[in-house]
Amino acid sequence: MDPRLIRNFCIIAHIDHGKTTLSDRILELTGALSKREMSDQVLDGMDLERERGITIKAHAVALEYRADDGNAYRLNLIDTPGHVDFAYEVSRSLSACEGAVLVVDASQGVEAQTLANSYMAVDHHLTVLPVINKIDLPSAEPMRVKDQIENIIGLSAQNAILCSAKEGTGVREILEAVVREVPSPKGDPEGPPKALVFDSWFDAYRGVVILVRVIDGTLRRKMRIRLMATGRDYDLEDLGLLTPKLVPVESLSVGEVGFLIANIRNSAEVKIGDTVTDARTPAARAFPGFQEMRPMVFAGLFPIGESSYDNLRDALDKLRLNDSSFTCEPETSEALGFGFRCGFLGLLHMEIVQQRLERHFGLDLITTAPSVRYRVTTTDAAVVEISNPAKLPPPQKIDRWEEPVITALILTPPEYVGGILALCQEKRGIQKELKYVTTSRVLITYELPFNEVVLDFYDKLKTLSRGYASLDYHHTAWWESDLVKLDILVNGEPVDALSLIVHRERAAQKGRALAQKLREVIPRQLFEVAIQAAIGSRIVARENVAAMRKNVLAKCYGGDITRKRKLLEKQKEGKKRMKKVGRVDIPQEAFLALLKVD
């Protein structure tokens, strides 16, 4: 197709500002699906996406649109996720486009991820079209939102399109603006083929389906292709467009977005952001900006009840076929048995993977407390990255600790600034900037240790601001910190699944809180159970679970006092022996207690 009649654009926004609903209306207007085939959230394929009303994966669709100028255009639309966990997907999607439709809620205004996604689009040199959505709401204030777009983001909002994706108002105006203002794709049609991979999924019958945007040259069926990140070659079996049905074509040329199938059986071989080229006449260099997706949050998954280790392993293998963004490796815990240590993009991603395992594969799981990746320099100058406290070298061999640091952007109304600053200071943050961007919006920029944010920071932020503050963050650096491993001992035995890495200043306080919580959830035994928190060999907190009392004198209804004393001494010896050999079964609530300790 003539590249001058192609427009590649994506929809970006803060979570829940109406991206997917707008995509539905665009599909209706362009006639991509009949009324019978339409449903809400057409591009959201997962039931979890529909239930939660969020987009987890980016989705692409090729649409035919006849504009007011009489030309028939092909619009390649990508609906991107809005949650901060999936920022890498947004980044790759932006690389495949020349324009971005920035959707802002007319009642909520500019939020933190609106700002972050806008900056990302500008960094990729995209044409950004502001759209103010949900103007049908009684609380809509489009003029205030226009001011926010100009003052906070720095984009001109004079020609911002007012629309209601729910009612279909203003959707045609958006498409006309895309045709008029988004530039057509540029590239060398005669050069070596080069295409950017921005999504993939696994098809049980055809293998991995790869979504690509062609940068240069032409991809044709039956040609030999190479994935430049891995260096592997494959035969290109099928090419096509997503309309959103799979429509086969003979070739894809400059600017076109489509899918390719090359009989790839392992989805781990396809990296998002990789470059596809001709194996015989390869491109000189790959498309810039490719980097491996690195997990940020790590947790152990262990089967309980009738769920076996083999079932969990098979379920994880199947899940990784369609979601290669999480990692897993076998792990053994003395307390929980055999399981897997998994790495996720963020807490929401972790929650979604766990729910998919439980719902689709019928597994019952225990998830250990999430942690982050630390850098440890040993005394012999070796640098190791640790995500599991159980794999730490002995304390005497650790020379230096480093922890990951994020830069957090928080947008909030002015009345909540004091509480938010106090929360960030409490989490060992360093303030970088505080700016009143409008009379009703304050932008706070903080550097924060990621392990302080990963558990409850977002919940506390929402509580302090009554839901009005919004957060966006990205990993920026590593800090050298005074960290220690906090061990939990139950009856003198360390429970490896309850170990934590914490800052030395907080270790004693955290240990006391955890010991108190565990005392409430560990059931009483016939002997006293000691719960201790320890840093190395030093005990920093202790709680006791009192023994259950068995009345051995009940059967002794008469006789001399020596008979009673003899029975009591016998019980005392038995309890001492039981304390040495008795096992304490730790219930699942003990591991959940880690998440609830403040």
Side-chain angles (χ1 to χ4, degrees):
M1 187 174 181
D2 185 351
R4 288 173 297 179
L5 297 177
I6 296 175
R7 298 291 183 271
N8 297 320
F9 72 103
C10 60
I11 302 178
I12 55 174
H14 188 79
I15 192 166
D16 199 30
H17 277 206
K19 299 179 297 299
T20 305
T21 311
L22 180 58
S23 302
D24 290 349
R25 297 294 84 76
I26 291 174
L27 287 174
E28 278 182 6
L29 181 65
T30 54
L33 291 173
S34 65
K35 283 200 172 183
R36 183 176 58 82
E37 294 169 312
M38 277 302 296
S39 64
D40 287 342
Q41 296 171 263
V42 171
L43 296 182
D44 287 348
M46 270 183 260
D47 51 358
L48 275 171
E49 289 182 309
R50 294 171 187 276
E51 280 174 28
R52 288 169 167 255
I54 59 173
T55 300
I56 295 167
K57 282 185 74 66
H59 303 276
V61 61
L63 308 166
E64 300 299 327
Y65 175 67
R66 186 161 291 280
D68 290 348
D69 61 9
N71 291 321
Y73 290 88
R74 179 177 296 159
L75 306 181
N76 292 312
L77 158 67
I78 303 172
D79 177 26
T80 61
H83 197 277
V84 63
D85 282 9
F86 308 109
Y88 184 79
E89 290 229 1
V90 179
S91 162
R92 292 298 94 210
S93 302
L94 291 171
S95 299
C97 300
E98 281 80 33
V101 173
L102 176 68
V103 178
V104 186
D105 190 310
S107 58
Q108 294 181 15
V110 172
E111 304 269 18
Q113 274 146 276
T114 318
L115 190 62
N117 288 341
S118 305
Y119 288 168
M120 216 187 291
V122 171
D123 288 345
H124 283 79
H125 309 293
L126 267 59
T127 301
V128 182
L129 306 176
V131 169
I132 298 172
N133 190 23
K134 304 189 185 181
I135 57 167
D136 56 306
L137 294 178
S139 56
E141 298 178 78
M143 295 313 295
R144 178 179 65 87
V145 175
K146 277 187 178 183
D147 290 342
Q148 287 185 1
I149 291 171
E150 293 193 344
N151 295 325
I152 299 177
I153 302 174
L155 289 173
S156 170
Q158 295 303 314
N159 299 320
I161 300 164
L162 304 182
C163 96
S164 166
K166 185 179 176 183
E167 296 181 350
T169 313
V171 177
R172 189 169 187 88
E173 287 83 346
I174 293 171
L175 295 184
E176 286 297 323
V178 167
V179 166
R180 190 174 58 249
E181 297 185 33
V182 173
S184 57
K186 303 287 187 289
D188 180 7
E190 304 303 323
K194 186 195 286 188
L196 171 73
V197 176
F198 64 91
D199 197 11
S200 69
W201 67 88
F202 188 81
D203 184 286
Y205 300 102
R206 310 185 74 183
V208 180
V209 182
I210 305 173
L211 274 185
V212 295
R213 147 77 197 272
V214 181
I215 310 294
D216 292 322
T218 303
L219 292 174
R220 291 185 177 85
R221 288 188 186 208
K222 306 304 178 188
M223 73 187 291
R224 188 83 173 156
I225 60 166
R226 176 173 297 162
L227 295 176
M228 295 184 79
T230 59
R232 296 195 178 194
D233 295 353
Y234 306 91
D235 288 321
L236 183 52
E237 294 186 351
D238 204 359
L239 280 171
L241 303 174
L242 279 169
T243 66
K245 302 168 188 172
L246 300 178
V247 178
V249 295
E250 285 302 316
S251 64
L252 290 174
S253 56
V254 171
E256 292 192 281
V257 173
F259 69 88
L260 60 88
I261 296 170
N263 200 22
I264 303 171
R265 290 290 157 191
N266 184 1
S267 59
E269 294 174 24
V270 180
K271 312 286 187 186
I272 305 301
D274 196 357
T275 303
V276 177
T277 188
D278 188 345
R280 295 182 179 87
T281 55
R285 57 179 181 274
F287 191 76
F290 170 71
Q291 56 189 112
E292 291 267 4
M293 270 197 280
R294 286 174 63 84
M296 297 287 286
V297 175
F298 296 82
L301 294 179
F302 294 88
I304 55 171
E306 295 179 5
S307 304
S308 70
Y309 173 80
D310 290 338
N311 291 343
L312 176 58
R313 184 188 59 214
D314 293 344
L316 285 169
D317 286 344
K318 288 175 183 172
L319 197 58
R320 275 186 58 76
L321 291 174
N322 278 319
D323 184 1
S324 56
S325 57
F326 76 94
T327 60
C328 59
E329 57 183 33
E331 178 184 28
T332 308
S333 161
E334 288 181 18
L336 299 173
F338 294 101
F340 288 88
R341 190 78 181 173
C342 298
F344 308 94
L345 300 176
L347 274 187
L348 176 69
H349 188 217
M350 173 180 133
E351 194 181 326
I352 284 162
V353 169
Q354 186 184 345
Q355 281 192 16
R356 290 177 74 184
L357 287 170
E358 290 175 349
R359 181 180 299 188
H360 298 164
F361 301 99
L363 298 172
D364 288 325
L365 300 172
I366 285 182
T367 307
T368 61
S371 67
V372 299
R373 193 193 298 268
Y374 298 90
R375 274 189 196 158
V376 174
T377 306
T378 57
T379 48
D380 52 2
V383 178
V384 288
E385 291 197 346
I386 300 288
S387 60
N388 185 354
K391 293 190 175 178
L392 277 170
Q396 62 271 21
K397 290 199 171 180
I398 297 176
D399 180 44
R400 191 169 80 247
W401 288 85
E402 288 177 285
E403 61 181 337
V405 178
I406 60 165
T407 297
L409 298 176
I410 302 169
L411 264 176
T412 177
E415 56 266 33
Y416 306 116
V417 168
I420 290 170
L421 293 181
L423 173 65
C424 293
Q425 291 299 127
E426 180 194 321
K427 298 292 185 182
R428 300 191 285 123
I430 294 177
Q431 185 179 320
K432 306 303 286 182
E433 189 179 27
L434 191 150
K435 185 166 68 175
Y436 279 74
V437 284
T438 69
T439 53
S440 60
R441 274 284 194 274
V442 181
L443 177 62
I444 304 169
T445 308
Y446 253 88
E447 282 189 344
L448 291 157
F450 191 40
N451 66 337
E452 298 282 357
V453 174
V454 76
L455 269 185
D456 58 356
F457 182 82
Y458 188 71
D459 293 341
K460 287 186 173 179
L461 179 69
K462 287 292 182 184
T463 304
L464 279 170
S465 65
R466 300 184 185 177
Y468 286 107
S470 58
L471 168 73
D472 186 88
Y473 61 82
H474 52 278
H475 176 235
T476 49
W478 294 83
W479 277 354
E480 186 175 339
S481 295
D482 188 10
L483 302 172
V484 291
K485 180 186 175 189
L486 181 69
D487 286 312
I488 300 297
L489 286 69
V490 176
N491 216 22
E493 294 292 322
V495 183
D496 52 1
L498 292 176
S499 296
L500 293 170
I501 295 172
V502 291
H503 197 269
R504 191 181 295 275
E505 288 178 4
R506 308 267 177 93
Q509 176 191 349
K510 187 86 172 177
R512 278 193 297 274
L514 197 50
Q516 287 168 5
K517 195 77 182 175
L518 289 174
R519 188 187 66 183
E520 297 169 14
V521 296
I522 289 179
R524 292 172 70 186
Q525 313 289 321
L526 286 170
F527 53 92
E528 185 181 73
V529 177
I531 301 166
Q532 297 166 307
I535 301 170
S537 59
R538 184 166 66 93
I539 304 297
V540 294
R542 176 180 173 132
E543 294 286 339
N544 292 329
V545 179
M548 286 194 292
R549 185 172 181 274
K550 182 180 177 184
N551 188 3
V552 291
L553 302 181
K555 61 186 178 183
C556 188
Y557 48 84
D560 187 26
I561 185 67
T562 53
R563 288 185 64 199
K564 294 182 179 179
R565 198 168 287 143
K566 185 178 175 184
L567 285 169
L568 289 169
E569 287 297 324
K570 192 175 177 183
Q571 184 190 38
K572 187 177 176 183
E573 288 300 317
K575 288 204 174 200
K576 193 183 290 183
R577 188 170 63 254
M578 195 183 286
K579 192 167 185 178
K580 287 181 184 175
V581 300
R583 272 191 86 249
V584 181
D585 285 327
I586 299 173
Q588 184 179 358
E589 290 78 25
F591 301 98
L592 299 177
L594 272 177
L595 306 176
K596 295 172 185 169
V597 168
D598 189 2

